[in-house]
Amino acid sequence: MNKSSDLYDITIVGGGPTGLFAAFYAGMRELKTKIIEALPELGGQLSVLYPEKYIYDVPGFPKILSKELVKNLIEQAMTANPTLCLEERALTLRRREDGILELETTKGLHISRTVLIAAGVGAFSPNKLSIPDAEKFEGRGVFYFVREKALLKGKKILIVGGGDSAVDWALNLKDEAEKVTLVHRRDVFRAHESSVKQLFHAGIDIFLFWEVKELHGNERLEEALIFNNKTRETKVLPVDVVLINIGFKADPGPIRNWPVEFEGRHIKINGRMETSLPGVYAAGDIAHDPASVYFDLIVIGYAQAAVAVNCAANYINPKATLFPGHSSERSS
Ligand code: FAD
């Protein structure tokens, strides 16, 4: 299927909690839905910044792990059968004379009747190692995400980082890999305390105050040269894979130039979540209604997503009711 040339009812920019809940709601309204997300995984800040933290203020969950909430949100969103465009960053937005919206991305052009901007604090991208070899071996041994765990079976894996992702992947891969080694440039971990405890009892080689200096290989990665940032001692480790988990940066980037009105870092919306450009809505952390107070909270994004999608359904078909009906009255 050519994802780009089909006309969609709603295209959601951002696959965080706001975008995911919006996709579910778009399904309730039987809208043909697409999600465009810069990262290869969904969940926004919850997946990237605090997957192992408990959240206590999501209605219906007295306490839920961030990554569990993302899992549930994805399951709920997928009932709408949205087209997922992952690892694709939206660059420009334009409204044609016929009212159709054109979104240009890093991978192509998308057309849609309406657009919901749920881009949070901006497009996330993984921090990279500041050595030229890392880029050279990207996709040929150097990775920032684990796409298929099975592909790492029997490999010698070097994990770089001290946050939740680095520690979780070290624990997760230790039984499948031939060997897992972790290097971290400090001795303080940002990961969950219990996971760090587990790490030190898991038979994983851990190098604290060590960093990657060079990567060697021909077609594929073969060795990593690491160095101790206190003593300057170096070591060569045989490796098949270097998994770099040293955090993410968010870049609001191109959206700042889109033809919608801004107020500071926020896109200005009204009570219907409409931006200044007809057919374009915004919700969640990126949006702000000057007539209202705003909080950067998941629950606010949910409510705004529901309002935005119902208003979009009514914009596409003015005869359609604004109120979606109760989900509890659906047959399944
Ligand atoms: P985000 O979660 O930021 O998701 C936006 C997504 O859009 C990202 O995945 C991004 O990659 C993508 N994107 C952006 N630009 C583009 C583009 N141009 N093209 C394609 N994709 C793009 N809130 C609570 O309610 N309770 C809590 O306990 C809580 N704890 C928190 C703890 C921490 C450490 C942090 C940092 C935040 C916490 N929050 C909490 C806030 C909450 O995470 C945010 O309010 C929520 O994530 C906003 O969701 P969103 O979908 O609007 O944006």
Side-chain angles (χ1 to χ4, degrees):
M1 181 184 51
N2 182 347
K3 286 178 187 170
S4 300
S5 62
D6 289 352
L7 178 63
Y8 278 73
D9 291 322
I10 187 161
T11 299
I12 300 165
V13 178
T18 305
L20 286 170
F21 192 60
F24 161 74
Y25 237 96
M28 289 248 298
R29 297 306 304 247
E30 297 185 353
L31 301 181
K32 187 172 171 182
T33 306
K34 181 184 276 180
I35 300 177
I36 298 176
E37 167 57 53
L39 285 177
E41 63 184 26
L42 295 163
Q45 293 172 51
L46 285 73
S47 296
V48 162
L49 301 179
Y50 59 107
E52 296 289 342
K53 282 205 162 109
Y54 279 104
I55 306 175
Y56 299 88
D57 57 350
V58 177
F61 295 98
K63 136 178 182 178
I64 183 162
L65 260 186
S66 186
K67 65 181 180 188
E68 275 301 310
L69 182 64
V70 170
K71 208 170 120 215
N72 291 349
L73 278 165
I74 292 173
E75 186 185 329
Q76 195 176 27
M78 290 313 127
T79 60
N81 206 17
T83 297
L84 286 183
C85 302
L86 299 178
E87 284 190 279
E88 188 163 345
R89 188 167 166 186
L91 299 174
T92 62
L93 171 69
R94 188 176 86 89
R95 190 172 190 271
R96 296 192 325 212
E97 266 178 23
D98 61 2
I100 297 298
L101 297 157
E102 285 186 352
L103 269 170
E104 199 191 325
T105 70
T106 42
K107 292 190 182 167
L109 190 74
H110 302 259
I111 50 172
S112 193
R113 292 191 166 90
T114 63
V115 165
L116 172 60
I117 308 171
V121 286
F124 281 112
S125 56
N127 289 330
K128 309 218 164 170
L129 283 183
S130 51
I131 54 166
D133 295 343
E135 205 179 326
K136 189 169 124 197
F137 286 105
E138 255 176 42
R140 295 188 296 130
V142 168
F143 300 98
Y144 300 90
F145 295 90
V146 176
R147 282 198 182 75
E148 252 189 276
K149 212 172 132 184
L151 296 178
L152 300 182
K153 208 174 161 137
K155 304 271 186 213
K156 295 183 273 301
I157 304 172
L158 177 66
I159 298 180
V160 184
D164 282 314
S165 301
V167 173
D168 281 0
W169 278 118
L171 293 170
N172 207 300
L173 294 169
K174 73 179 169 52
D175 295 330
E176 318 257 340
E178 182 187 319
K179 184 170 180 59
V180 172
T181 307
L182 183 135
V183 293
H184 181 32
R185 67 192 164 98
R186 306 188 294 154
D187 62 349
V188 178
F189 284 82
R190 276 174 293 107
H192 198 274
E193 213 180 310
S194 67
S195 313
V196 177
K197 247 187 212 156
Q198 251 180 291
L199 177 77
F200 279 91
H201 293 97
I204 291 166
D205 279 354
I206 302 166
F207 288 85
L208 300 180
F209 297 110
W210 287 73
E211 299 178 37
V212 177
K213 190 174 180 183
E214 290 170 17
L215 297 172
H216 305 150
N218 292 311
E219 281 307 296
R220 288 204 63 84
L221 182 62
E222 286 161 22
E223 289 175 351
L225 177 74
I226 59 169
F227 75 102
N228 184 305
N229 59 29
K230 285 184 172 290
T231 63
R232 299 285 138 184
E233 184 191 345
T234 58
K235 262 185 209 300
V236 174
L237 304 176
V239 292
D240 302 308
V241 168
V242 174
L243 183 58
I244 301 170
N245 288 149
I246 53 170
F248 292 84
K249 55 178 169 304
D251 175 14
I255 293 181
R256 302 285 315 181
N257 300 321
W258 289 7
V260 290
E261 205 178 323
F262 276 81
E263 198 182 62
R265 70 174 178 90
H266 293 104
I267 296 174
K268 207 165 154 184
I269 50 166
N270 60 20
R272 297 168 65 97
M273 312 303 132
E274 290 164 337
T275 69
S276 55
L277 191 64
V280 179
Y281 299 77
D285 279 14
I286 200 164
H288 175 40
D289 173 3
S292 171
V293 288
Y294 74 92
F295 305 112
D296 287 348
L297 287 175
I298 295 161
V299 69
I300 304 284
Y302 287 170
Q304 291 180 335
V307 173
V309 170
N310 286 305
C311 289
N314 181 252
Y315 168 88
I316 293 166
N317 175 12
K319 288 191 182 137
T321 58
L322 203 49
F323 184 61
H326 292 136
S327 67
S328 55
E329 280 152 23
R330 288 201 319 189
S331 51
S332 60

